[in-house]
Amino acid sequence: MSEDQNQNPPVDVNTTFLKSKRGILKVAEMVTLLVAFVCFTAASRPTYIAATALEFLITLLLVLLYALRLNKRLTFFIWPLIDVFNSVFAAAYFIILSLMALSTYAVTGTLVGGIVGLMSAGLLCVDSYTLFKNITFNKPRRETQNQDN
């Protein structure tokens, strides 16, 4: 039984990701999405609740993917590209969702949720820009690593 435990290495937590700019940006996205979720829940707006909860879970899974270095083990996906697509589509969706919440609010929770949703959309735009800038297209890998430093 001890041989089986030695074959599977323990999960390595990447604390440097959580301290990096991208990690802090992802955590800030999660915080704003959670605040928007709470505001929409207090206002009893089911469509807004579902959208913010879904994006919160997707962002949480991406943070766990990078923090636990699962992106190194699951190499059949291009994770930065998936992250960019998620950020771009979520930013566009949250801009529309937040503007709808702001224009049709009847309860203060919907108004605050719409404002925080716009803040979250701004963070998602910044995240997609920084990720897209770091993805290599027709550049040698070493050249892009030198640009990041």
Side-chain angles (χ1 to χ4, degrees):
M1 189 170 227
S2 64
E3 291 176 17
D4 291 336
Q5 292 175 352
N6 291 336
Q7 289 177 357
N8 292 333
V11 176
D12 186 25
V13 178
N14 186 3
T15 57
T16 57
F17 171 75
L18 296 174
K19 295 176 185 176
S20 69
K21 291 178 185 178
R22 277 191 54 220
I24 293 170
L25 188 62
K26 286 285 187 195
V27 171
E29 286 173 19
M30 286 178 29
V31 168
T32 57
L33 288 167
L34 184 64
V35 170
F37 172 76
V38 169
C39 291
F40 290 140
T41 302
S44 297
R45 301 299 298 252
T47 55
Y48 302 144
I49 293 169
T52 53
L54 182 65
E55 186 55 36
F56 176 80
L57 288 175
I58 291 171
T59 306
L60 177 66
L61 289 175
L62 285 169
V63 166
L64 287 175
L65 177 91
Y66 292 128
L68 298 176
R69 293 185 176 149
L70 295 175
N71 59 333
K72 304 290 184 193
R73 292 184 185 190
L74 305 172
T75 58
F76 48 90
F77 290 121
I78 304 170
W79 291 109
L81 197 58
I82 291 172
D83 202 357
V84 166
F85 282 138
N86 174 54
S87 295
V88 168
F89 290 125
Y93 187 73
F94 268 95
I95 288 171
I96 294 167
L97 180 103
S98 297
L99 290 176
M100 284 175 41
L102 289 173
S103 65
T104 62
Y105 81 95
V107 181
T108 308
T110 308
L111 176 68
V112 175
I115 293 170
V116 175
L118 281 176
M119 290 171 43
S120 180
L123 289 171
L124 286 162
C125 286
V126 170
D127 187 29
S128 62
Y129 172 75
T130 57
L131 278 169
F132 187 75
K133 191 174 74 171
N134 289 338
I135 292 179
T136 60
F137 291 113
N138 297 327
K139 290 183 182 179
R141 188 164 178 84
R142 291 183 184 190
E143 183 179 326
T144 57
Q145 287 176 350
N146 292 336
Q147 289 177 356
D148 290 342
N149 294 332

